[in-house]
Amino acid sequence: MENEYRRGYDLPITEKKWEFWLSLVIYPLFTLWLESQIRDMSLDGSVWLLRGFHLWLILFVALEFINCFGELHLVSEGIAITLFGKTLRRFPREKIRFLGGVRYSRKSREYRWICVCDHSMEELAEEQERKTPKMFRNSRTRTGWAEDMAGKYLIRYVVSMRRQLGFPRKDILLIEWSPERLRMIQDMYPGVPWTDLTDKKVLDAERKI
């Protein structure tokens, strides 16, 4: 349960703590199996390959550990992420310019995020436009063009290897979706635009239930 204080809200980074404990069982077992396969094949450079897998495993468990035991703080000065009282990241209030809701599916699992951005929706759309080859660009006169392009831009970041490896961008902060969390953010930072960027506005639909 979230604890509400006079100056803001303190809440866990994720409510899905079971994923951390599951990962501690599955990924080490997978790594051990992979090690045995590589050793059996006697591949050149297998030692470095194994070290790479070990490094990946340590990094993955560390990131899951932060997600499991870290805290998210919504205060008047901005948003902060801490682990056992140590601040790992800050997102100042003056940089909170846009809130975008996105979702994507991977391996039969669905992920939903509130994207806190230091850019307006229009700026995100323009950036996505620049990164899209001309032959695949949609007309700017199309209804919902900015929402569509901004959504694609944020999804591209969400699934990026950079983020998966624990190197988040300074101008985008991902917060696990829930209607309650969005309400808290809007309560702390009134006036920041919110747009549900999902195809069928499924996040807005949850807010109305």
Side-chain angles (χ1 to χ4, degrees):
M1 294 295 291
E2 295 85 2
N3 295 319
E4 184 175 348
Y5 295 93
R6 182 174 60 85
R7 298 182 63 248
Y9 301 92
D10 294 341
L11 53 154
I13 291 178
T14 180
E15 300 290 349
K16 303 174 183 177
K17 297 183 183 296
W18 60 270
E19 292 186 356
F20 169 72
W21 302 109
L22 185 62
S23 68
L24 288 184
V25 176
I26 293 179
Y27 283 93
L29 290 177
F30 172 74
T31 302
L32 290 174
W33 173 83
L34 199 57
E35 281 186 9
S36 67
Q37 298 300 308
I38 293 174
R39 294 182 189 280
D40 290 344
M41 291 186 290
S42 300
L43 296 175
D44 293 335
S46 59
V47 173
W48 292 104
L49 187 59
L50 289 174
R51 288 180 179 177
F53 280 121
H54 291 159
L55 179 61
W56 170 81
L57 178 62
I58 292 172
L59 180 60
F60 177 85
V61 172
L63 293 175
E64 289 297 310
F65 185 88
I66 293 173
N67 287 333
C68 183
F69 297 104
E71 288 193 329
L72 183 69
H73 307 276
L74 308 177
V75 295
S76 58
E77 296 82 2
I79 302 173
I81 293 175
T82 65
L83 180 65
F84 304 137
K86 181 178 178 58
T87 301
L88 303 180
R89 185 177 180 186
R90 297 181 187 274
F91 204 101
R93 178 172 186 165
E94 59 270 18
K95 291 189 175 182
I96 304 176
R97 298 179 56 200
F98 173 66
L99 304 173
V102 300
R103 70 168 179 170
Y104 81 101
S105 299
R106 184 180 66 180
K107 297 180 180 179
S108 73
R109 294 173 60 187
E110 184 177 85
Y111 299 84
R112 304 183 179 196
W113 301 100
I114 301 169
C115 302
V116 182
C117 306
D118 184 16
H119 305 280
S120 67
M121 182 175 69
E122 291 73 20
E123 288 172 341
L124 296 177
E126 291 291 346
E127 185 63 24
Q128 179 63 24
E129 174 83 352
R130 286 192 289 271
K131 295 179 179 294
T132 303
K134 290 184 177 181
M135 63 182 298
F136 296 114
R137 294 178 182 176
N138 295 322
S139 172
R140 290 172 177 267
T141 60
R142 178 182 176 185
T143 303
W145 176 85
E147 290 187 17
D148 178 60
M149 297 299 282
K152 290 178 179 178
Y153 183 86
L154 291 175
I155 286 293
R156 187 163 56 85
Y157 168 63
V158 166
V159 302
S160 67
M161 184 60 68
R162 169 181 173 175
R163 191 194 73 82
Q164 301 293 336
L165 292 177
F167 301 100
R169 290 176 47 164
K170 294 182 178 180
D171 57 345
I172 301 176
L173 174 65
L174 301 183
I175 296 179
E176 186 177 277
W177 160 259
S178 77
E180 294 76 18
R181 291 184 178 219
L182 177 60
R183 177 188 61 79
M184 293 176 188
I185 295 173
Q186 291 179 318
D187 179 53
M188 285 302 302
Y189 317 111
V192 177
W194 153 262
T195 301
D196 181 350
L197 300 173
T198 62
D199 292 339
K200 298 182 179 180
K201 305 295 183 183
V202 294
L203 304 184
D204 278 342
E206 286 188 17
R207 299 172 63 196
K208 299 175 183 178
I209 296 177

